[in-house]
């Protein structure tokens, strides 16, 4: 009974914080805590960047790409606004087969980012890892701009 109750509380907690942008900063600090993801499966992903070309990492389902990159010391992705959808320094390219459309606010930021590729560009802080992403490659663009200044 305790397990069911704690699972319900954890699921409700994660859902609430992932759907409310106003709590995004708070959620991000919590999302680094792997306790929330303990029961979720790991998904192998590849990150492609100038500094190391291609690197295999194990991501936890539900984590966002910015958190994963920061947890794996990938310094080419900055995340200046800490995932609050205000900077576009977390610009990434997804493979076309796993691309999902961004929300309007994200699209507005992407409009100001350099080297945007239609059908591939997203902001890493807004993309959460799913099972469909298994063995796909996330590419970090060679240029980015910061819309906060
Ligand atoms: Fe600023 Fe993603 S970290 S928009």
């Amino acid at each position: 009974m305790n397990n069911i109750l704690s699972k319900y509380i954890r699921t409700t907690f994660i859902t609430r914080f992932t759907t409310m942008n106003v709590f995004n900063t708070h959620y991000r600090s919590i999302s680094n805590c792997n306790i929330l993801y303990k029961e979720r499966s790991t998904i192998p992903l590849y990150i492609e960047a100038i500094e190391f070309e291609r690197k295999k990492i194990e991501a936890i389902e539900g984590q966002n790409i910015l958190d994963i990159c920061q947890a794996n010391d990938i310094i080419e992705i900055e995340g200046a606004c800490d995932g609050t959808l205000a900077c576009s320094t977390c610009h990434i390219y997804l493979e076309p087969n796993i691309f999902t459309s961004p929300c309007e606010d994200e699209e507005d930021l992407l409009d100001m980012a350099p080297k945007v590729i239609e059908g591939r560009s997203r902001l890493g802080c807004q993309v959460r890892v799913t099972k469909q992403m298994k063995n796909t490659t996330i590419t970090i663009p060679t240029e980015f701009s910061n819309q906060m200044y």
Side-chain angles (χ1 to χ4, degrees):
M1 185 66 178
N2 266 352
N3 272 350
I4 294 169
L5 184 60
S6 73
K7 197 170 186 174
Y8 171 77
I9 290 169
R10 190 170 38 243
T11 304
T12 304
F13 183 75
I14 290 170
T15 303
R16 186 160 292 179
F17 281 103
T18 54
T19 56
M20 296 176 71
N21 224 3
V22 70
F23 291 115
N24 206 7
T25 303
H26 179 63
Y27 171 73
R28 276 182 43 71
S29 64
I30 294 168
S31 70
N32 289 330
C33 174
N34 283 340
I35 292 167
L36 286 173
Y37 298 107
K38 203 166 73 180
E39 293 166 17
R40 298 197 178 188
S41 54
T42 57
I43 313 286
L45 284 179
Y46 293 93
I47 305 286
E48 195 174 72
I50 293 173
E51 65 178 305
F52 48 75
E53 290 183 11
R54 202 162 186 253
K55 182 178 186 175
K56 186 175 186 177
I57 58 166
E58 292 293 326
I60 298 169
E61 189 183 357
Q63 267 187 313
N64 73 52
I65 303 296
L66 176 63
D67 281 345
I68 292 163
C69 288
Q70 289 177 339
N72 285 278
D73 299 321
I74 295 166
I75 58 170
E76 284 184 44
I77 186 164
E78 187 180 337
C81 75
D82 207 24
T84 57
L85 208 51
C87 71
S88 85
T89 61
C90 61
H91 181 199
I92 56 167
Y93 301 131
L94 297 174
E95 288 184 5
N97 59 325
I98 56 162
F99 180 81
T100 52
S101 297
C103 69
E104 206 171 300
D105 289 342
E106 187 181 340
E107 261 180 23
D108 290 345
L109 272 177
L110 283 167
D111 284 344
M112 295 181 278
K115 298 192 173 185
V116 168
I117 301 174
E118 192 71 33
R120 292 196 61 196
S121 285
R122 290 289 312 268
L123 295 178
C125 66
Q126 303 302 308
V127 178
R128 299 203 177 273
V129 172
T130 62
K131 287 185 177 81
Q132 291 72 31
M133 291 181 174
K134 185 178 178 184
N135 291 323
T136 61
T137 301
I138 311 290
T139 306
I140 300 174
T142 53
E143 256 180 63
F144 68 86
S145 64
N146 188 345
Q147 310 307 327
M148 288 176 70
Y149 305 109

